[in-house]
Amino acid sequence: MPRTKKQAALTRALRKNLTNHKNQHLANGPEVLSASVDAEDADEQPSQQEEDQATPSLVAESMSDSTLSELSSMNSPTQTDHAISARSNIRIGDAGINKGITVPAEGLRYQPVKEPENYNPEAEIDEEADEDGLQVALSRPPPVDSDYLPLPWKGRLGYACLCTYLRYSNPPVFSSRTCRIASIIENRHPLRDPNEPAHATKNRPDRDQPPSIERGQAFVQELGLANARDIVKMLRWNDRYGIKFLRLSSEMFPFASHEEYGYKLAPFASEVLAKAGKLAAELGHRLTTHPGQFTQLGSPRNEVIVNAVRDLEYHAELLTLLKLPPQQNRDAVMILHLGGVFGDKVATLDRFRANYKRLSHGIKQRLVLENDDVSWSVHDLLPVCEELDIPMVLDYHHHNIIFDADKIREGTKDIMELYPRILATWTRKNITPKMHYSEPTSGAITGRQRRKHSSRVATLPPCLPTMDLMIEAKDKEQAVFELMRTFKLPGFNTFNNMIPHMRQDENQKIITKLVKKTKAKKAEEEGESSYRKQVPIPVAEEDVGMGGLEGRVYWPPGMEHWLRPAKRAVKASPQKTTLKEKKTTSAKKKRKAREEEDEEEEKGEEADEQHDASPNDIATYRTPTKRARTALASSSAKEKSTATTQKKKAQKNKSEK
């Protein structure tokens, strides 16, 4: 939908103010904010120096000496200009302050936005900014970010579910193969030829044969086993390039938690999952899951609660069957959003408390809550997590969209005051803390637009340098590589750029080419074959898709097409005419020639009439038409042929006599 002139003007104003303030708020965040609020509120804002002194004191009251030593220098401006510029890059899509506009205190609070049913923060579709959203964004103060960088980095970086390089390898490696319920029902029938593998067209299920529920379940379970087997390859690939944190796909076993078509993972998947867990334990990798947005324990509908519990049981069983060592098993958590508000936050929280208490012990040991970008802020969830002994995941990107403006400012600086309380929710259960980090797309202005994840991230958040950090970005492992290169993190020298559209870590088909005729004759004379085979160097099965000896697995931003083979350039050839078109063209030519001859005859007849009227006038005498000339020539040829035939007969008779 095209934007109005007013929307375009608001957008330009936001981006202009962003350019003026994006570096200023890093150095003078509190002063910039106090310039945008009422004078009465501005007097209550603490100075930058007072805040720098206050944060370590809060930390000292709640954290141990070892943790305090890492957190005490978080707000000290000791970073290089490069680090500061990297920090400023993530604010490209954020709005600044519009000069001349007074912002009331209530204007700083974000209203919850209704979540679409199938919203995907990594989708390609761009959200259009509406006028109301632009007005709210215009009144938003600039974020106040900390300039602390957790360097030298000692934690684990991870990505979610899919490795782009392996997904496009041959054969593809990924753990989210799925199907439709219609496919499960169809595959309850046996194949037309049971001795041959299934094929989309040549060997499909025979619907004339009686169905079997077990056969359909075996079909969907086989998809899950294929997904689980690929985890081993993904873990080995991650370990080679210094990535030791992976979120497993919730779609690994399709429809496992479905009410009608669901199934338990044990015993059919026990061995495959235990093999993946054994490798993760040997390599020291962390594995987690993130149930989907429909898994909500605060819903007022009983059927939603029943489905949510069944989905959590499926995820808990998946992680349990990995058979991880004690600490890694505790670290294998399930991250959950609280979900909708349903018109009343207090009532929703009460329902969540009641439903949480009825969960099994295995689910309670793994369940973790995360602040979202629609309804639930850190200040909403942290008291509940402390009350029910649930660890809380801090998502920086979500916090910058939904936060309590009465207690905290947007950005990464103020949220650091809550670090001791957040980390305590993890240490009480002896689980390694983890946080999520992502950034909005460039040019995003409204809250809805800013929810969409960027392809890669420009910097690290001000977390502990030993934190397990999940990078939620569209480019998956490539976003982790980008951070490694930017800050020279461990593993940055293990990978190199891909050669566009080429892979040296796959077994190519043997290409047979016919030698030119001249060379073929020469080869035959020498007793050699007239064919030449191009045989590539074979790649061991365990090395397929691993990037080759040089580790060529990195593709620059926007170059995802490098992962696929180059498209063949087809030369434009002249358009071929069909037999029907040829016949039509030939008939048209004959018709046109006939019409021209008829016109000549008409002209000739007119000339004859004039000649009859004046026989002595030579100028009126016409030349024969083309048809007449043809007929005359044909008659003359026929007469000659007849004369020749008669002459030959006469000679023959004479010779016989």
Side-chain angles (χ1 to χ4, degrees), residues 381-441:
L381 297 184
L382 188 54
V384 180
C385 291
E386 293 172 331
E387 173 190 346
L388 300 178
D389 195 19
I390 302 174
M392 179 185 162
V393 171
L394 170 62
D395 189 303
Y396 289 92
H397 178 59
H398 295 169
H399 162 69
N400 283 337
I401 299 174
I402 298 295
F403 59 93
D404 192 336
D406 292 337
K407 301 176 182 178
I408 202 169
R409 297 169 298 186
E410 179 185 346
T412 59
K413 184 175 179 60
D414 288 4
I415 194 64
M416 294 170 66
E417 297 177 2
L418 297 178
Y419 278 7
R421 291 175 61 187
I422 294 173
L423 295 176
T425 62
W426 296 87
T427 55
R428 278 199 298 265
K429 300 182 83 168
N430 196 21
I431 302 176
T432 304
K434 71 185 288 285
M435 293 181 176
H436 294 175
Y437 185 71
S438 55
E439 294 171 3
T441 56

Side-chain angles (χ1 to χ4, degrees), residues 41-176:
D41 295 332
D43 294 337
E44 298 177 1
Q45 297 294 334
S47 65
Q48 180 78 32
Q49 184 177 1
E50 289 173 349
E51 288 188 352
D52 290 345
Q53 294 174 354
T55 303
S57 64
L58 283 171
V59 175
E61 293 174 4
S62 304
M63 301 301 294
S64 62
D65 294 339
S66 60
T67 308
L68 174 60
S69 62
E70 294 175 310
L71 287 171
S72 59
S73 61
M74 278 192 172
N75 291 325
S76 59
T78 58
Q79 307 307 323
T80 62
D81 293 338
H82 170 74
I84 294 176
S85 64
R87 166 67 62 188
S88 64
N89 286 340
I90 68 169
R91 301 265 66 94
I92 292 175
D94 292 336
I97 304 171
N98 188 21
K99 296 179 180 179
I101 292 181
T102 302
V103 183
E106 59 270 15
L108 301 178
R109 184 177 289 104
Y110 284 91
Q111 298 297 326
V113 181
K114 185 177 180 182
E115 173 80 10
E117 289 189 358
N118 296 314
Y119 176 74
N120 180 7
E122 296 176 7
E124 297 288 348
I125 301 174
D126 293 329
E127 292 287 346
E128 192 70 31
D130 59 354
E131 187 172 335
D132 293 338
L134 288 172
Q135 290 285 3
V136 173
L138 191 64
S139 66
R140 198 175 102 245
V144 183
D145 289 325
S146 170
D147 59 359
Y148 170 78
L149 284 173
L151 300 176
W153 179 256
K154 302 175 183 177
R156 292 179 287 195
L157 294 176
Y159 62 93
C161 307
L162 176 74
C163 175
T164 64
Y165 185 86
L166 289 177
R167 178 63 183 87
Y168 290 103
S169 64
N170 187 19
V173 177
F174 63 110
S175 60
S176 55

Side-chain angles (χ1 to χ4, degrees), residues 430-496:
N430 196 21
I431 302 176
T432 304
K434 71 185 288 285
M435 293 181 176
H436 294 175
Y437 185 71
S438 55
E439 294 171 3
T441 56
S442 62
I445 297 175
T446 65
R448 189 178 182 85
Q449 288 177 328
R450 293 166 63 220
R451 287 161 59 192
K452 183 179 177 181
H453 293 169
S454 62
S455 298
R456 307 196 183 186
V457 295
T459 189
L460 290 165
C463 61
L464 289 172
T466 56
M467 183 64 63
D468 286 350
L469 190 63
M470 176 60 64
I471 304 300
E472 296 182 321
K474 178 177 174 291
D475 287 349
K476 304 297 183 179
E477 83 288 350
Q478 301 296 321
V480 177
F481 287 161
E482 204 70 43
L483 283 176
M484 289 180 174
R485 282 193 168 182
T486 301
F487 299 104
K488 300 295 186 289
L489 304 183
F492 80 95
N493 55 353
T494 60
F495 56 88
N496 291 294

Side-chain angles (χ1 to χ4, degrees), residues 187-205:
N187 280 275
R188 289 176 176 178
H189 300 273
L191 295 174
R192 293 172 183 171
D193 187 352
N195 299 323
E196 295 293 329
H199 191 275
T201 56
K202 298 178 180 178
N203 196 20
R204 294 184 61 82

Side-chain angles (χ1 to χ4, degrees), residues 3 41 116-117 185 219 226 239 251 266 328 343 366 387 495 551 601 614:
R3 294 184 300 176
D41 295 332
E117 289 189 358
I185 297 174
F219 163 76
D239 191 71
E251 298 179 354
Q328 285 178 284
R366 299 189 186 277
E387 173 190 346
F495 56 88
E601 284 205 12
S614 55

